[in-house]
Amino acid sequence: MVDISTAQATPERRGGDTDAVPTHRHAQEALARNKREGMDLAVRARVAALSVTALLLVFLNPNWDVAWYLFLLLCLVLVGLAQRRVGRVGQSQAELALLFADLLLMTCALLVPNPLLDDPVPTALIYQFEVFQYFYVLLAAGVLTYSWRTVIAIGNWTLALWMLGALCVWWFGWSDPQASAGAMSMFPDNPDLAVQMDPNLVHWDLRIQQVVVFMIVSVILAVAVRRYHNLVLDSAEMVRERTNLARYFSPTMVDELSTKDEPLGQIRSHDAAVLFVDIVGFTAYSDGRPPQEVIETLRAFHARMESEVFAHGGTLDKYLGDGLMATFGTPLPLADDAARAVACVRAMARRMEALNADRRVEGLPEIDARFGLHFGTVVLGDIGANRLEFAVLGDTVNVASRLEAMTRALDVRAVVSDVAMVAAGAAGGFRRAPDQKVRGVAEPLSVWVLDERG
């Protein structure tokens, strides 16, 4: 029975705390991968943007006092590299601290007077150059971290720091009264224009407008990042679901199921081939052997059998301790289900011969695997209440199990029903055996056998 139960909707996928660390592995890996890629892109974007800014500053101001701004740009690059180093999925106090330091450094770089200048100029003159736009570079880089909290933090802290900086410029900044008088004398008939040209004024209306627009943009980008965050989680959930399907179905069947809209567990009935595989005497083999050796033997056996099931387009229904049950024609029937099942039995027998040859070389006992195959009508559907399992039921399953058990009495490698062989259309490698009485079947069953033993 294939376990197709789905995980409960997690808060980070269903409108809860979308920056919380997700609980399942695929989501964690997806977010961690996107976080690393985003931080790498953010660092490269920062270095590129600040490099262009440095060249622009040198071009616009080819004087030695520009070294102060180049130093501050270098500090911004170093902070970005530090953020890349500590960045991780979920909330990180170190990352938030560096983010605050980043914005504080940018504010100081824009508003603190250049100490290398010989001639002081009004501190508020910096606002005439529209330097606030450089904060958008940090905001754009923050978007690449794929954290809406980070984007909102950039908006809030920029608002607070920029307004605090404006207050400091207004209260502590140096002003030149002659510059204000000169502006008024230039436009005596237009006082509004004179105010705009006054280098001593902070222009609070413009400062407030800058941070309000910046905050609006931050909120919009945070919403976009949150939506992308959810898309990453949804994509990871689909990968997880496909991985779970791949544990039981062949890759071709997984691709087929992923395009179907019908529920997998819908009750239905159709013909399918059912194969049972078991190791004879495995309990006796396990007695007195180290647990590690027993598990490694089972892993080697299951790996080879599983690969043949998938190679022939079958479904691994379940492991049965030292055996397994596989089906061909579930959840979707195909015209060659029986033929692929018979071919799978032959391939499994060859794989066991090769495995036993290797074990003989290593001085290990052989593994005596037996196979039983039947073809007929099966019933498919979900069973269970809270935890659902996709079940394959019916007389066909019971008969296949009893055919596998019959290999002991007949001392053969495999027993295949005549129904399965006829449906397969080929009996290469098998021989017809006398009809056998099977418990639960009214009439003796015609069978074919493979690899007579003894």
Side-chain angles (χ1 to χ4, degrees):
M1 291 178 286
V2 179
D3 181 5
I4 59 166
S5 57
T6 56
Q8 296 294 322
T10 54
E12 65 270 16
R13 290 192 63 224
R14 303 301 175 224
D17 186 0
T18 58
D19 270 359
V21 179
T23 56
H24 62 79
R25 177 175 57 86
H26 289 292
Q28 291 177 354
E29 292 176 351
L31 288 178
R33 182 177 62 254
N34 279 274
K35 179 77 172 185
R36 288 193 303 269
E37 294 174 354
M39 294 298 290
D40 289 339
L41 286 173
V43 170
R44 287 197 290 267
R46 173 188 291 251
V47 172
L50 295 180
S51 298
V52 172
T53 302
L55 294 175
L56 183 62
L57 289 175
V58 173
F59 175 76
L60 296 176
N61 182 27
N63 299 308
W64 72 276
D65 56 86
V66 79
W68 165 250
Y69 299 107
L70 297 181
F71 169 73
L72 294 175
L73 292 178
L74 177 61
C75 291
L76 288 171
V77 171
L78 295 178
V79 171
L81 293 175
Q83 289 176 340
R84 171 63 183 88
R85 188 174 186 83
V86 303
R88 61 176 177 82
V89 176
Q91 298 183 32
S92 170
Q93 297 300 323
E95 188 175 354
L96 290 176
L98 286 173
L99 177 61
F100 182 80
D102 207 14
L103 296 171
L104 180 60
L105 181 61
M106 176 67 81
T107 304
C108 293
L110 297 178
L111 299 183
V112 174
N114 189 341
L116 301 181
L117 287 175
D118 294 329
D119 299 324
V121 295
T123 308
L125 182 63
I126 188 67
Y127 293 122
Q128 302 293 333
F129 300 100
E130 297 296 335
V131 292
F132 183 82
Q133 59 192 339
Y134 289 105
F135 279 103
Y136 285 97
V137 176
L138 298 184
L139 180 62
V143 171
L144 295 176
T145 64
Y146 303 114
S147 169
W148 68 271
R149 291 180 183 275
T150 299
V151 176
I152 291 296
I154 292 175
N156 288 331
W157 289 344
T158 298
L159 185 153
L161 290 172
W162 190 246
M163 295 308 294
L164 179 61
L167 183 63
C168 291
V169 170
W170 175 73
W171 188 264
F172 300 106
W174 182 82
S175 61
D176 184 358
Q178 293 184 352
S180 298
M184 292 299 296
S185 64
M186 289 175 60
F187 305 99
D189 299 328
N190 195 335
D192 291 337
L193 184 58
V195 168
Q196 292 298 322
M197 299 301 296
D198 190 342
N200 294 313
L201 298 181
V202 172
H203 297 290
W204 287 102
D205 55 338
L206 296 179
R207 305 293 77 79
I208 294 174
Q209 176 180 285
Q210 287 174 333
V211 293
V212 168
V213 172
F214 189 84
M215 196 64 207
I216 292 173
V217 174
S218 299
V219 172
I220 294 174
L221 291 178
V223 172
V225 168
R226 183 164 181 168
R227 286 176 57 82
Y228 179 81
H229 190 280
N230 288 336
L231 287 175
V232 170
L233 291 178
D234 288 338
S235 177
E237 180 70 13
M238 288 188 288
V239 171
R240 184 174 72 96
E241 291 169 354
R242 286 180 65 90
T243 301
N244 287 336
L245 287 175
R247 296 169 57 195
Y248 304 101
F249 304 123
S250 66
T252 302
M253 186 61 70
V254 171
D255 292 337
E256 179 71 18
L257 290 173
S258 64
T259 63
K260 295 293 183 181
D261 294 328
E262 296 81 5
L264 184 63
Q266 184 179 10
I267 298 175
R268 57 194 182 278
S269 176
H270 60 247
D271 288 343
V274 180
L275 170 63
F276 278 86
V277 185
D278 191 33
I279 299 177
V280 176
F282 189 77
T283 301
Y285 167 84
S286 303
D287 289 342
R289 296 184 182 274
Q292 183 67 24
E293 179 182 339
V294 175
I295 295 299
E296 289 300 328
T297 299
L298 278 179
R299 285 176 177 172
F301 168 71
H302 284 150
R304 287 163 174 77
M305 299 301 97
E306 173 188 303
S307 65
E308 291 301 331
V309 171
F310 292 158
H312 291 82
T315 298
L316 179 59
D317 189 84
K318 58 178 170 288
Y319 285 117
L320 303 168
D322 57 347
L324 59 87
M325 171 184 167
T327 58
F328 298 80
T330 63
L332 303 174
L334 298 174
D336 61 342
D337 290 332
R340 288 184 286 107
V342 172
C344 183
V345 172
R346 296 195 196 97
M348 284 180 166
R350 289 193 295 269
R351 293 292 296 272
M352 291 309 304
E353 291 174 2
L355 175 60
N356 284 326
D358 294 338
R359 292 178 66 84
R360 286 194 296 270
V361 171
E362 297 173 3
L364 299 174
E366 296 184 16
I367 298 176
D368 186 6
R370 307 293 180 93
F371 310 91
L373 176 66
H374 188 43
F375 183 81
T377 302
V378 296
V379 177
L380 304 91
D382 286 342
I383 62 173
N386 297 321
R387 184 176 180 84
L388 300 180
E389 288 188 345
F390 183 72
V392 181
L393 308 170
D395 289 339
T396 300
V397 178
N398 299 330
V399 171
S401 177
R402 290 161 188 164
L403 291 179
E404 185 279 319
M406 191 183 294
T407 59
R408 281 77 162 168
L410 298 179
D411 196 23
V412 294
R413 175 74 69 186
V415 176
V416 178
S417 67
D418 183 64
V419 177
M421 198 62 71
V422 171
F430 291 83
R431 67 171 179 84
R432 187 70 174 265
D435 293 353
Q436 301 293 319
K437 179 65 176 177
V438 178
R439 180 167 56 87
V441 180
E443 300 294 332
L445 195 66
S446 298
V447 297
W448 297 71
V449 297
L450 175 69
D451 184 23
E452 182 129 9
R453 307 179 60 82

